[in-house]
Amino acid sequence: MSDEQIIPNAVGRLDDVVDAIREGRIDDACTLLDSEAKRRSGKVEAIEAELQRERDALCEVEEFRFELGSVMLDRIEMFRRACGWKGQE
């Protein structure tokens, strides 16, 4: 934030907060900011949970790729059956 920019961009986009500050209703502005912080915190938690699911899926894919590239022929057939292969083609 520059020396000239007193209100952060994220706050400046909150019209109700800006109006409350302009009108001197600081308690109202703080209440609104608390609500916005709680909303954003929930959003961050949801994004972090999705990110963790994606990381877990990535690990599963990478681990399976490594295993698939280094398995014996009998295990390849087991994997093929798990993917719907019926045997002898």
Side-chain angles (χ1 to χ4, degrees):
M1 186 164 54
S2 71
D3 291 338
E4 296 176 5
Q5 184 178 356
I6 296 172
I7 308 253
N9 287 334
V11 174
R13 290 189 289 272
L14 302 172
D15 293 338
D16 291 347
V17 172
V18 172
D19 291 345
I21 294 170
R22 181 177 37 252
E23 295 166 7
R25 295 181 293 115
I26 304 307
D27 287 343
D28 290 344
C30 288
T31 299
L32 291 166
L33 287 168
D34 289 342
S35 294
E36 180 66 10
K38 185 176 181 179
R39 184 189 74 78
R40 287 180 183 261
S41 178
K43 194 173 176 180
V44 166
E45 288 174 11
I47 291 168
E48 287 174 340
E50 177 63 22
L51 178 59
Q52 188 58 52
R53 285 189 293 275
E54 288 298 324
R55 284 183 173 146
D56 292 344
L58 172 60
C59 286
E60 288 177 3
V61 168
E62 290 175 337
E63 288 171 5
F64 186 76
R65 170 59 185 96
F66 176 77
E67 185 178 356
L68 188 60
S70 62
V71 295
M72 302 303 249
L73 186 56
D74 61 331
R75 294 224 35 202
I76 295 255
E77 288 186 7
M78 180 184 68
F79 289 142
R80 291 178 73 190
R81 282 191 179 85
C83 289
W85 180 62
K86 303 294 185 208
Q88 304 298 322
E89 293 180 343

